[in-house]
Amino acid sequence: VDHDVHHPLGDDAYDYSRFHSLPPLMVAGPGALAVLSVVIGFGVGPLLDPLVGSALGKDIHLHLFPPDGVNLAFALSMTALAVGAAAFAVRSVWLRWPFPALASGPQVYRWVVGRVERLADLLLRTQGGKVRYYLAAILISVVILLIPALISADQLGVRAFSITILGAADVLKLILLVLALGATLASIIFAKHLLAALSLSIAGYAIGGIFLLEPAPDVALVQFLVETLITVLLIIILARTSERERRTVIARVWEQTRRGLVRDVAISATLGAAVTVMALAAVSSRPTPNPIAAWHLANAYPLLGVNDVVAGIITDFRGTDTLIEITVFGVAALGILTLLARPNPGRTMQWFRRTPATPAPTEPPAAKDAIQEDAERPDPFVYRSHLNSPITRLAAVPLLPISMMIALAHILYAGAAPGDGFTAGVISGLGVTLWYVVFGYEQVKQRLRWLHPAGFIGAGLLIAFTNAILPLFFGRDFLALTAISGVSIADIKLASSLVFEIGIWLAVFGGISAILEAISHPKEVEPV
């Protein structure tokens, strides 16, 4: 072996001088396999015909040599064996030829890993920390993906698309659409965060009104509830952020050159036009109108026994999607609570302890006085509600149980009227939100000791997945519907979908409570 040969991927070649012959026992195993392969090869018919025939259930005949004489496959096999034997016989000649040195496996691996790391370093240079650049890259990618479909307008059927106003309802839809667009534009233009948040909520309410006129009462109800919840959460976040920090953020948003502003407007307009054309083409190019919706309308009551098609879709037709959605929402809410809040470790650990925590050592009087003084000092990060008055407290206290009762009605009658586990979770979450707005974090934790977001999320997911998996033990499908026929209590349908709705409600309510606790917590990891 020539030790002076340099490898193209590195000079750390193996030291072949350390190699030695294998022990006889290590050679015996491969040798036995080689002998068996020769024996079985020559005796392939008598040895393997009975085994393979019994496995396949029919008579077969295996041959080492073609029974009908030499064919092309046999000739190629013999040629390969002859060439291999000849190359081995003259190996002393071609081994002296100046072949280029081949890289070893570890060298190839290190080369590939090095190139991947260089590519990763190049990609990391694009991560500058500005969300607008990330968003621009995503939007540009979407436009590029839509370009092939937008090349021919005739193919998309856009030229045949027309808008027809049939009555006053269509005029009202058009007005709500203009209101939504104007409110969205206002949320971008307004420099004050509160006005921008309110404008965005107006756009959401306008979209909900369009859903209501379609009519799609379930979707409209969810839209109204979610917009209300998001608006309140944004107001709480703004109340916890100082005016100086808000001004700094808005100044950074608008501190850009005219060229940057034109670029952002061009990207937004291009994406909006592309998505609009695709949406119009999708609507006008359908071979039949609303085929999936028609199937759901025709099969909701015969298959599930529910009048509300949306409830049937959520709990049965697309129940797996619902399971995934509540799981993602619950995990995301717990992540927000973990990242934004700084919970009390002692209080958290008491959840999992059956025995009382070890009492803290007694502090000397001087230390106690110092701790008391620190506790009485105002904390700049504590959210103190300015709405805590006798009137607001009088409104907040009864509204929480009322919201729970409304949520219970949505769960029990989900199959007969608009509303389901999602709307029940948002409604009950709005009741808790009012408590956080009026009383503040500390008062809520003291008064609502039963409010443990992680427990609600875990219970909801456990109930939902148990309801989905349990039919498998009885030989039925995943999420199969189980209903008690002939039994009705106050027109409530007793079925497994009711259990599923309860799980959805607990998961959504726990997720909303976790988000509220995170943004209302008096201590944060870092200032906003």
Side-chain angles (χ1 to χ4, degrees):
V1 178
D2 187 1
H3 296 284
D4 296 332
V5 177
H6 296 281
H7 290 262
L9 300 180
D11 296 332
D12 52 346
Y14 288 111
D15 186 4
Y16 296 98
S17 63
R18 295 179 178 271
F19 289 177
H20 54 80
S21 60
L22 298 176
L25 291 178
M26 294 188 66
V27 181
L33 294 176
V35 172
L36 288 175
S37 64
V38 174
V39 173
I40 293 176
F42 283 100
V44 62
L47 294 176
L48 298 183
D49 281 354
L51 298 177
V52 179
S54 61
L56 297 178
K58 59 182 179 180
D59 294 334
I60 63 170
H61 300 283
L62 301 176
H63 303 277
L64 177 63
F65 300 101
D68 300 330
V70 179
N71 54 25
L72 179 61
F74 181 75
L76 292 177
S77 300
M78 293 299 103
T79 302
L81 291 176
V83 172
F88 181 77
V90 297
R91 66 187 185 281
S92 59
V93 176
W94 56 265
L95 282 177
R96 293 195 295 267
W97 292 353
F99 289 111
L102 299 178
S104 63
Q107 290 172 333
V108 174
Y109 172 77
R110 286 192 292 270
W111 182 82
V112 172
V113 171
R115 295 304 180 274
V116 171
E117 290 179 348
R118 289 186 181 181
L119 179 61
D121 293 337
L122 180 62
L123 292 177
L124 285 176
R125 294 178 184 176
T126 63
Q127 307 297 308
K130 290 187 177 296
V131 179
R132 75 167 76 173
Y133 295 152
Y134 305 157
L135 185 59
I138 295 173
L139 299 181
I140 292 174
S141 301
V142 172
V143 173
I144 292 175
L145 292 175
L146 292 177
I147 284 177
L150 297 177
I151 293 177
S152 175
D154 293 332
Q155 251 183 348
L156 295 174
V158 175
R159 292 183 179 179
F161 187 84
S162 61
I163 299 176
T164 305
I165 298 177
L166 300 178
D170 291 340
V171 175
L172 185 55
K173 292 177 187 178
L174 184 61
I175 294 174
L176 290 174
L177 181 60
V178 174
L179 177 61
L181 294 175
T184 304
L185 181 61
S187 67
I188 300 172
I189 296 176
F190 285 148
K192 292 186 177 181
H193 286 87
L194 182 59
L195 293 178
L198 294 177
S199 299
L200 197 60
S201 65
I202 291 174
Y205 284 123
I207 297 297
I210 295 175
F211 289 147
L212 190 61
L213 293 173
E214 276 303 315
D218 283 271
V219 182
L221 179 60
V222 173
Q223 180 74 14
F224 290 141
L225 292 174
V226 171
E227 283 299 331
T228 304
L229 180 63
I230 292 177
T231 303
V232 175
L233 293 180
L234 288 176
I235 292 175
I236 294 177
I237 294 174
L238 293 177
R240 297 204 56 197
T241 309
S242 65
E243 184 178 358
R244 179 182 58 82
E245 290 170 340
R246 293 199 299 268
R247 289 180 178 178
T248 302
V249 170
I250 201 67
R252 289 177 179 176
V253 171
W254 288 100
E255 279 181 359
Q256 59 176 329
T257 61
R258 183 178 297 273
R259 179 181 178 183
L261 182 61
V262 172
R263 175 202 60 205
D264 294 342
V265 171
I267 293 174
S268 303
T270 303
L271 180 70
V275 174
T276 300
V277 173
M278 287 297 299
L280 295 177
V283 172
S284 61
S285 301
R286 289 177 178 174
T288 56
N290 304 324
I292 298 178
W295 186 90
H296 286 156
L297 291 171
N299 293 276
Y301 190 81
L303 297 181
L304 307 179
V306 297
N307 297 319
D308 189 359
V309 181
V310 175
I313 294 173
I314 291 176
T315 58
D316 191 278
F317 294 144
R318 300 191 64 178
T320 304
D321 291 351
T322 305
L323 280 175
I324 297 173
E325 288 170 1
I326 62 175
T327 303
V328 172
F329 178 72
V331 173
L334 292 178
I336 293 173
L337 181 61
T338 304
L339 294 175
L340 297 184
R342 185 181 297 172
N344 187 345
R347 183 180 300 176
T348 304
M349 291 304 296
Q350 287 176 5
W351 269 60
F352 307 97
R353 280 200 195 110
R354 291 184 179 270
T355 59
T358 304
T362 305
E363 298 285 347
K368 288 184 178 180
D369 295 340
I371 293 175
Q372 184 66 25
E373 291 179 1
D374 291 340
E376 293 177 354
R377 291 176 183 172
D379 192 337
F381 295 115
V382 174
Y383 169 68
R384 294 180 176 85
S385 176
H386 298 287
L387 299 176
N388 193 341
S389 64
I391 297 178
T392 56
R393 290 196 298 269
L394 182 62
V397 171
L399 280 178
L400 180 57
I402 291 175
S403 66
M404 293 294 181
M405 293 175 62
I406 297 175
L408 181 62
H410 277 239
I411 296 172
L412 296 178
Y413 297 98
D420 47 48
F422 282 107
T423 59
V426 179
I427 290 173
S428 54
L430 284 172
V432 175
T433 303
L434 183 60
W435 271 63
Y436 274 102
V437 172
V438 173
F439 294 102
Y441 177 84
E442 295 296 339
Q443 288 290 324
V444 171
K445 300 304 290 185
Q446 291 177 8
R447 292 170 177 261
L448 305 180
R449 295 185 180 275
W450 51 268
L451 186 61
H452 299 290
F456 281 104
I457 295 173
L461 294 180
L462 179 62
I463 293 174
F465 276 93
T466 302
N467 175 76
I469 297 173
L470 194 59
L472 297 177
F473 292 96
F474 299 94
R476 305 181 65 195
D477 295 334
F478 183 78
L479 260 176
L481 177 67
T482 302
I484 302 177
S485 60
V487 179
S488 178
I489 302 175
D491 295 332
I492 298 174
K493 181 179 176 60
L494 300 179
S496 58
S497 58
L498 177 61
V499 179
F500 195 10
E501 295 285 6
I502 295 174
I504 297 171
W505 166 64
L506 291 175
V508 174
F509 175 67
I512 294 174
S513 302
I515 296 173
L516 285 169
E517 183 173 339
I519 65 176
S520 301
H521 202 280
K523 296 290 185 181
E524 293 180 339
V525 176
E526 59 181 359
V528 178

